[in-house]
Amino acid sequence: MEGTEHHHGHAHGHSHPGGGHRHGPLASRPARLRHRLAHLLKPHSHQPADKVDAAMETSREGMRTLWLSLAVLGATTVVQAVIVALSGSVALLGDTIHNAADALTAVPLGIAFVLGRRAADRRYTYGYGRAEDLAGILIVATIAASAVLAAWAAVDRLLNPREITHLEAVAGAALVGFVGNEWVARYRIRTGRRIGSAALVADGLHARTDGFTSLAVLLGAGGAAVGLRAADPLIGLLITAAILLVLRDAAREVFRRLMDSVDPALVGAAETALRAVPGVRGVGQVRMRWIGHVLRAEADIVVDAHLTVVAAHGVAVEAEHALIHAVPRLTAATVHTDHTPVEDDPHAPLAHHTHPPTAAGKDAISA
C-alpha cells in the first residue's frame, strides 16, 4: 500500500530457457526495440550456469593476478636477500621481510577465491563469496603489522645508529623492491576494481606500503652516503606515517564491504532503470549487497492492481532484466510486486511486523 515499506517475500527468481527473455504483456514496441539493441551491444544470459561461469571467470582472473604478483615479489625478495647477505644492511633485511610477507598474503586471498567458486548450498544459501572479505581482514591486519615493524625499526635505528656498507648495492636492491612492489600494487588494485574484489584492492594497497618501505631504504642509503646517519631512521618514520594512511584506506574499503555498503550511484541507477520499465507504477525500497565480487539486489515495485498474476510476473521479469542491464556486476535480483491501492489493505496482517519506512521507501510506493 501507499507509503508502506514491505519486508516480506513473494520473490521472483527468474530463469530464461534457452537464454531468451520473456517480456511482459505491457512491454511496448519501442521497449522491445531497445532491448534488442542492448543485446546486440552487450549480449548476456541469465541462465544460472552462465552466471556461475561469469563468477568462475572473475575468480580465475583474480588467481592469475595473485600468481603473477607472487612471482614478481618472489623474484624481488630473492634479489634483496642476496644483497642483504653481502651488505649486512638491517634496513634492507626489514624490507626483504616485508616483501616476503606481502607475497604470502596471496595465500589467504587465493584460498578465498577458490572457496568463492563453490556453489551455494542449504547452509550457505548465498554461496561462499564472503570468504574474500575475511581474507581482507587478514590483509588489513598485515598492513597494520607492517606499520608497527617499520616504526620499531626506525626508532631502533635512531637509538642505536649503525653503519651501512655496500651502499650502491643496497640502493639498487631498494630500487628493485620499490619498482616491483609498485608494479604489483597497480596490477592488484586495477584487477580488484575490475572484478569487484575489495580484498584484492586491499592487498594491492599492502604491496604499495612495502614499496614505500623500499623507498625509505633507498633514501636512507642516499643520506648515509653523504654522512647523514640519522637520515635512514627519520625517513623510516615518515614512511610509517604514509603506511598508516594506506592502512586507513584499506581498512575503510574492507569495513564498508563487511557492512554491505554499496555506491549510492548504483542504487540510483537501479531506481532509474526500474521506473523506465513499462507497467511499473512506482518503485519502493532497493537493496544491494556484495557477495564476494558480485552484486545481488532486492527491489519493490508497484504495478496496476487489476493485472493478472501472469501479467504482473511479466512486469517483474522485465524489472529484473532492466536491473541486470543497468547495474554493473549485478548477477541476480529479487523483485517483489506490490499493487496500487484497493479497498482492503492486503498487508494488514503484517502491520505489526513492519518497521518504519526508510527514506528510500517513503519516496516511492505511489500509484
Side-chain angles (χ1 to χ4, degrees):
M1 292 296 291
E2 183 174 356
T4 303
E5 179 188 6
H6 308 294
H7 297 277
H8 55 282
H10 305 298
H12 298 275
H14 307 294
S15 62
H16 308 282
H21 302 279
R22 283 183 56 194
H23 302 285
L26 300 180
S28 63
R29 185 181 300 275
R32 290 195 297 268
L33 179 59
R34 287 196 303 270
H35 164 77
R36 294 191 183 101
L37 289 175
H39 270 283
L40 288 174
L41 295 174
K42 185 182 177 182
H44 68 275
S45 170
H46 305 306
Q47 287 284 2
D50 293 326
K51 294 176 183 178
V52 171
D53 288 343
M56 290 281 286
E57 179 55 37
T58 55
S59 293
R60 281 193 289 266
E61 187 174 359
M63 290 297 291
R64 282 195 298 269
T65 300
L66 289 178
W67 282 115
L68 185 55
S69 59
L70 179 60
V72 171
L73 289 177
T76 300
T77 300
V78 169
V79 170
Q80 290 186 319
V82 171
I83 303 302
V84 167
L86 294 175
S87 67
S89 170
V90 176
L92 186 59
L93 174 61
D95 188 36
T96 304
I97 294 173
H98 285 169
N99 284 331
D102 186 28
L104 292 177
T105 60
V107 175
L109 193 50
I111 293 173
F113 280 136
V114 172
L115 278 176
R117 296 177 180 179
R118 298 181 62 179
D121 53 38
R122 292 180 66 84
R123 182 177 295 276
Y124 297 96
T125 55
Y126 282 96
Y128 293 78
R130 282 293 175 89
E132 287 186 35
D133 299 328
L134 297 179
I137 295 175
L138 293 177
I139 291 167
V140 168
T142 305
I143 297 175
S146 296
V148 171
L149 288 174
W152 179 84
V155 172
D156 180 67
R157 182 60 58 88
L158 277 173
L159 297 177
N160 303 290
R162 302 181 183 88
E163 294 292 337
I164 303 176
T165 61
H166 297 83
L167 291 178
E168 297 84 356
V170 171
L175 185 60
V176 168
F178 173 73
V179 172
N181 275 288
E182 182 60 22
W183 185 90
V184 166
R186 290 174 180 267
Y187 187 35
R188 287 177 175 175
I189 292 171
R190 183 171 63 249
T191 302
R193 287 175 177 165
R194 183 167 60 249
I195 69 175
S197 173
L200 190 55
V201 171
D203 207 18
L205 292 173
H206 178 218
R208 183 157 285 163
T209 65
D210 285 347
F212 290 153
T213 305
S214 297
L215 189 61
V217 175
L218 174 63
L219 295 178
V226 296
L228 300 176
R229 299 182 63 183
D232 182 41
L234 290 176
I235 291 174
L237 289 176
L238 291 177
I239 296 303
T240 298
I243 292 175
L244 291 175
L245 292 177
V246 174
L247 173 63
R248 180 196 63 183
D249 292 340
R252 181 171 54 195
E253 185 87 13
V254 172
F255 174 78
R256 286 177 175 175
R257 185 61 60 88
L258 287 171
M259 292 298 294
D260 287 334
S261 171
V262 296
D263 185 351
L266 295 178
V267 179
E271 291 171 339
T272 299
L274 289 172
R275 291 189 182 101
V277 174
V280 172
R281 301 286 297 274
V283 178
Q285 191 171 46
V286 176
R287 297 184 180 94
M288 293 183 188
R289 63 167 50 174
W290 286 96
I291 306 294
H293 44 256
V294 298
L295 275 170
R296 294 183 65 95
E298 301 173 9
D300 296 336
I301 62 172
V302 180
V303 299
D304 192 278
H306 302 293
L307 290 182
T308 65
V309 173
V310 173
H313 178 266
V315 175
V317 172
E318 288 294 332
E320 181 186 9
H321 188 197
L323 286 174
I324 291 175
H325 270 295
V327 181
R329 308 218 58 79
L330 181 67
T331 59
T334 300
V335 178
H336 168 73
T337 55
D338 286 317
H339 56 70
T340 52
V342 293
E343 183 177 350
D344 296 323
D345 182 5
H347 302 108
L350 299 173
H352 63 288
H353 296 295
T354 304
H355 298 289
T358 64
K362 290 177 181 178
D363 165 56
I365 302 187
S366 59

